[in-house]
C-alpha cells in the first residue's frame, strides 16, 4: 500500500512537472499570436488578456505594405541552401573520419571540433573584411551563406560521427564484397539509414540560419535581399512601436521552426540520443 502510494505521488510529480514545462514553453507562443490580433490600445491596456476583437487585417498589412513575403523568401532560400550544403559536406566528412581507418583521423576530428568552441560573432569583422570586396560581383545572400556553412559544419560532424559509430559494418562490408565503391556504400547504405542524425543536424543548422541577425544585418544592406530577422527591425519605431505588427511578424517567423520540429521530432530525439548509447 505504501509503495503504491509513493508510486502515485511520483507519477503526479512527474506529470505535473511535464505539464508545467509544456505550459511554460507553449504560453509565450500563444501570447505572441494573440497579441498580434489586438489593437494598439487594447495591447497597452490589457497586454496579458485575450483580444477584445480579433484584428486579422494586421497580417495582410505586413505582407502588402511591408512586403514581408520577400524577406520570408530570402530567409527560406539562405537557410535551405546553407542547410543542404552543411549536411552534404558534414555527412561525407564524418563518414571519412569515423568509418574509414587512416592515420591522423582523430587529430583532424579534433581540429574540426575546435570550431564549436569559437564564438560565432567574434569572427564577424575579419570575415566581413575578407568578403566585402566580392559584394559587387556576387549576390550578398551567397556571401552570407559562407559563414553559416562554416560554423554549421563542426556541430553537424559531431552529431553525425556519433551516429555513424553505432552503425554495424556488416552491411557495408557485404556491399564492398559485391563490388560497391566507397561512394556507393555511403550514398546507398550509410546515408539513408542515418536519417535521424541527418534530421537533427539539419534542423539545428536551419534554425541557426533562420534566426541569425547580426551577420545578416551587416552583409545584407539591400532591402530586397534582407532576411526576416533583419526585416523585423523595420517595425520598431524610434519614438513608438506598433506591437501588433511586431508580434504578427514574429508569429510568421516562428512558423517554419515549429513546423519542422513537429514533423521531424522523432528523428531529432533518435539522432541526439544515438551516440549516447554507444558502449
Amino acid at each position: 500500500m505504501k509503495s503504491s502510494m509513493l508510486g502515485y505521488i511520483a507519477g503526479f510529480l512527474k506529470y505535473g512537472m511535464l505539464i508545467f514545462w509544456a505550459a511554460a514553453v507553449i504560453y509565450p507562443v500563444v501570447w505572441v499570436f494573440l497579441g498580434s490580433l489586438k489593437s494598439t490600445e487594447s495591447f497597452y491596456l490589457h497586454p496579458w488578456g485575450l483580444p477584445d476583437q480579433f484584428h486579422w487585417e494586421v497580417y495582410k498589412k505586413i505582407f502588402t505594405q511591408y512586403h514581408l513575403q520577400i524577406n520570408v523568401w530570402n530567409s527560406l532560400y539562405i537557410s535551405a541552401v546553407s542547410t543542404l550544403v552543411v549536411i552534404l559536406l558534414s555527412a561525407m566528412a564524418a563518414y571519412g573520419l569515423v568509418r574509414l581507418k587512416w592515420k591522423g583521423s582523430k587529430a583532424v576530428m579534433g581540429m574540426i571540433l575546435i570550431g564549436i568552441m569559437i564564438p560565432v560573432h567574434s569572427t564577424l569583422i575579419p570575415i566581413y573584411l575578407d568578403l566585402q570586396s566580392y559584394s559587387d560581383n556576387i549576390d550578398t545572400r551567397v556571401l552570407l551563406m559562407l559563414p553559416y556553412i562554416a560554423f554549421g559544419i563542426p556541430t553537424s560532424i559531431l552529431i553525425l560521427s556519433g551516429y555513424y559509430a553505432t552503425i554495424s559494418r556488416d552491411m557495408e562490408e557485404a556491399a564492398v564484397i559485391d563490388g560497391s565503391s566507397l561512394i556507393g556504400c555511403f550514398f546507398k547504405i550509410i546515408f539513408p539509414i542515418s536519417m535521424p542524425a541527418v534530421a537533427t543536424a539539419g534542423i539545428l543548422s536551419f534554425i541557426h540560419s533562420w534566426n541569425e541577425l547580426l551577420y545578416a544585418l551587416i552583409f545584407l544592406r539591400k532591402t530586397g535581399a534582407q532576411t526576416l530577422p533583419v526585416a523585423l527591425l523595420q517595425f520598431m519605431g524610434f519614438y513608438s512601436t506598433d506591437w501588433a505588427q511586431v508580434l504578427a511578424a514574429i508569429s510568421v517567423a516562428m512558423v517554419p521552426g515549429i513546423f519542422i520540429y513537429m514533423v521531424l521530432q522523432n528523428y531529432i530525439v533518435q539522432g541526439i540520443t544515438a551516440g549516447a548509447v554507444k558502449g
Side-chain angles (χ1 to χ4, degrees):
M1 182 67 178
K2 185 177 180 180
S3 60
S4 62
M5 182 61 69
L6 291 175
Y8 285 126
I9 295 175
F12 176 80
L13 293 175
K14 179 177 68 174
Y15 288 107
M17 289 297 297
L18 291 175
I19 293 173
F20 174 78
W21 181 257
V25 172
I26 295 173
Y27 177 75
V29 178
V30 176
W31 182 85
V32 168
F33 176 69
L34 293 178
S36 68
L37 301 177
K38 296 179 181 180
S39 63
T40 303
E41 180 182 359
S42 176
F43 180 83
Y44 283 107
L45 291 176
H46 309 287
W48 308 108
L50 295 174
D52 299 329
Q53 184 178 357
F54 293 93
H55 297 271
W56 295 99
E57 65 274 7
V58 66
Y59 284 92
K60 180 180 179 180
K61 184 177 182 180
I62 63 175
F63 284 104
T64 56
Q65 180 175 336
Y66 294 97
H67 304 290
L68 201 67
Q69 66 274 15
I70 298 176
N71 307 112
V72 172
W73 164 249
N74 288 331
S75 288
L76 285 174
Y77 171 70
I78 292 172
S79 301
V81 174
S82 299
T83 299
L84 290 175
V85 175
V86 166
I87 291 301
L88 181 61
L89 296 180
S90 301
M92 292 189 294
Y95 179 75
L97 291 169
V98 176
R99 307 296 291 185
L100 305 181
K101 301 296 183 182
W102 50 281
K103 292 183 178 180
S105 60
K106 292 184 178 180
V108 173
M109 174 69 82
M111 292 176 62
I112 293 175
L113 296 184
I114 288 176
I116 298 177
M117 297 183 289
I118 299 175
V120 175
H121 296 107
S122 66
T123 62
L124 176 59
I125 294 177
I127 289 179
Y128 176 74
L129 293 176
D130 288 339
L131 297 180
Q132 67 172 342
S133 59
Y134 300 98
S135 59
D136 294 333
N137 302 319
I138 301 177
D139 189 344
T140 52
R141 295 178 299 178
V142 176
L143 293 179
L144 181 62
M145 294 178 196
L146 297 179
Y148 287 176
I149 293 170
F151 284 102
I153 286 177
T155 301
S156 297
I157 288 179
L158 178 64
I159 295 171
L160 291 166
S161 61
Y163 193 89
Y164 287 167
T166 67
I167 300 176
S168 173
R169 295 182 178 272
D170 294 341
M171 292 186 295
E172 200 173 357
E173 293 173 353
V176 172
I177 293 175
D178 290 339
S180 178
S181 63
L182 290 177
I183 297 178
C185 289
F186 172 73
F187 283 106
K188 294 180 181 179
I189 299 176
I190 301 299
F191 191 77
I193 64 178
S194 60
M195 281 298 111
V198 170
T200 303
I203 186 64
L204 293 177
S205 177
F206 183 89
I207 294 299
H208 172 264
S209 301
W210 179 268
N211 291 332
E212 203 281 326
L213 172 62
L214 191 55
Y215 268 92
L217 184 63
I218 299 300
F219 276 84
L220 304 176
R221 289 169 290 181
K222 296 180 180 179
T223 304
Q226 291 177 345
T227 57
L228 189 53
V230 179
L232 292 177
L233 298 178
Q234 69 181 316
F235 297 102
M236 309 292 290
F238 189 79
Y239 295 104
S240 64
T241 299
D242 189 336
W243 286 105
Q245 294 182 12
V246 173
L247 297 178
I250 293 175
S251 298
V252 172
M254 291 190 299
V255 170
I258 294 175
F259 176 77
I260 293 175
Y261 272 118
M262 290 176 62
V263 173
L264 302 177
Q265 58 180 328
N266 292 332
Y267 287 113
I268 294 171
V269 173
Q270 295 176 28
I272 291 176
T273 58
V277 299
K278 180 69 176 177

